[in-house]
């Protein structure tokens, strides 16, 4: 979700195999660099593989260009990598959130074959995405400060995952 | 199953020879996951793994790796039909900093659960311990002594 010169990205903490919960401390949001975070929902193995590939590409970029990747560029990279596997896809939906030039927040999400969905206010992904859309839509306000943004994001996340049996067991929220 | 674990064993030993220091548990777990992930889209291995290791700096650790290469560091884990019962048992009785005796007691509780609740329960169990002195077989829990009897 986007605030005033800041963004928040949140996820639940459950790792499950169909109905069985394996762990309640699974990390789904990864830091790519200080101003760019990536959340990967969906199949855990593909999320881990995809994260490793993306970090690899980003590190190469950093070595070549001697600077961090802009969020828009990174989103295009993710989209390209996902579409490479068009006929044997990675079964995960990324959520990308970052601060671009002049601290302008950038968020986007994608489906598992890389179709980008840009938004100005919030993006959601995962099994509870429908209820997340509803909760975010009703709780979102323009230009929230970081503290208020944190509250809003947490409440939206908790109320949506409470209605979904495959999500839950707490949440991680990152505010930048 | 045996093929894959031997392959991993030999590669871990190779690393030790090549680089002069043994692999940490985390590194071995990530290596295993990588192998499973690469094979996943062509010729997947159907092996679920619980990888336990002891490192001098970080102490003991347990990694859960399932057959589609999901890796997660856990305090307690189980696979298979018996996992439904064992995980609940462990959720109830596990706390961090247990002694060896307490841990064996918990494992015995899980074995009793599996024996009583599972229709297809295996008769014999082996308990292994991994600590600073390495990995060793600790005990057998056998209810059928002669497993070679054909039925």
């Amino acid at each position: 979700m986007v605030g005033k010169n800041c963004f928040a990205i949140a996820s639940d903490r459950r790792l499950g195999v169909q109905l069985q919960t394996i762990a309640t401390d699974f990390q789904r949001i990864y830091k790519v660099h200080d101003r760019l975070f990536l959340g990967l929902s969906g199949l855990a193995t593909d999320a881990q593989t995809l994260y490793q590939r993306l970090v690899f590409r980003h590190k190469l970029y950093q070595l070549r260009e001697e600077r961090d990747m802009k969020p828009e560029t990174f989103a295009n990279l993710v989209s390209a990598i996902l579409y490479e596997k068009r006929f044997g896809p990675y079964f995960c939906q990324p959520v990308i959130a970052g601060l671009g030039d002049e601290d302008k927040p950038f968020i986007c999400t994608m489906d598992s074959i890389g179709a980008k969905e840009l938004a100005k206010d919030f993006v959601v992904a995962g099994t509870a995405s429908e209820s997340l859309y509803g909760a975010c839509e009703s709780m979102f306000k323009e230009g929230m400060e970081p503290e208020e943004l944190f509250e809003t994001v947490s409440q939206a996340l908790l109320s949506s995952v409470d209605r979904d049996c495959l999500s839950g067991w707490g949440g991680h929220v990152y505010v930048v | 199953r045996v093929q894959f674990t031997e392959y991993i064993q030999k590669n871990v030993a190779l690393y030790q020879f090549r680089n002069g220091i043994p692999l940490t548990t985390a590194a071995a777990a990530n290596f295993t996951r990588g192998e499973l992930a690469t094979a996943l889209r062509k010729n997947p291995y159907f092996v679920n793994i619980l990888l336990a290791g002891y490192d001098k700096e970080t102490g003991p650790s347990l990694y859960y790796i399932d057959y589609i290469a999901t890796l997660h560091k856990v305090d307690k884990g189980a696979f298979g039909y018996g996992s439904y019962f064992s995980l609940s048992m462990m959720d109830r009785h596990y706390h961090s900093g247990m002694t060896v005796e307490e841990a064996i007691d918990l494992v015995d509780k899980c074995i009793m659960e599996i024996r009583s609740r599972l229709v297809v329960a295996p008769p014999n169990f082996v308990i292994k311990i991994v600590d600073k002195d390495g990995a060793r077989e600790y005990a057998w829990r056998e209810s059928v002594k002669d497993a070679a009897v054909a039925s």
Side-chain angles (χ1 to χ4, degrees), chain A residues 15 17 19-23 25-26 43-46 48-49 52 88-91, chain B residues 30 33 37 40-41 64 66 68-74 76 78 80 83-84 87:
Chain A
L15 172 67
V17 177
L19 59 87
Q20 195 184 24
T21 302
I22 306 290
D25 56 357
F26 189 64
L43 193 60
T45 177
D46 282 343
Q48 283 166 344
T49 310
Q52 283 166 354
Y90 289 117
F91 293 106
Chain B
N30 274 296
R33 185 204 110 78
L40 181 64
R41 302 267 166 167
Y64 166 105
D66 77 3
I68 43 173
T70 308
L71 171 70
H72 193 55
K73 184 169 185 307
V74 292
K76 47 195 187 322
S83 68
Y84 295 112
L87 277 175

Side-chain angles (χ1 to χ4, degrees), chain A residues 25-82:
Chain A
D25 56 357
F26 189 64
Q27 176 90 332
R28 237 174 233 111
I29 298 182
Y30 302 101
K31 185 169 99 151
V32 180
H33 63 79
D34 278 335
R35 292 148 63 93
L36 180 55
F37 280 73
L38 170 71
L40 287 165
S41 70
L43 193 60
T45 177
D46 282 343
Q48 283 166 344
T49 310
L50 190 62
Y51 165 66
Q52 283 166 354
R53 284 190 68 184
L54 286 168
V55 156
F56 168 70
R57 295 292 299 263
H58 181 252
K59 284 191 173 159
L60 274 181
Y61 182 93
Q62 271 181 325
L63 285 172
R64 281 199 197 115
E65 305 254 338
E66 291 175 6
R67 63 180 178 89
D68 292 328
M69 236 190 224
K70 278 201 226 146
E72 295 84 358
T73 322
F74 188 73
N76 279 316
L77 173 66
V78 179
S79 178
I81 288 186
L82 288 173

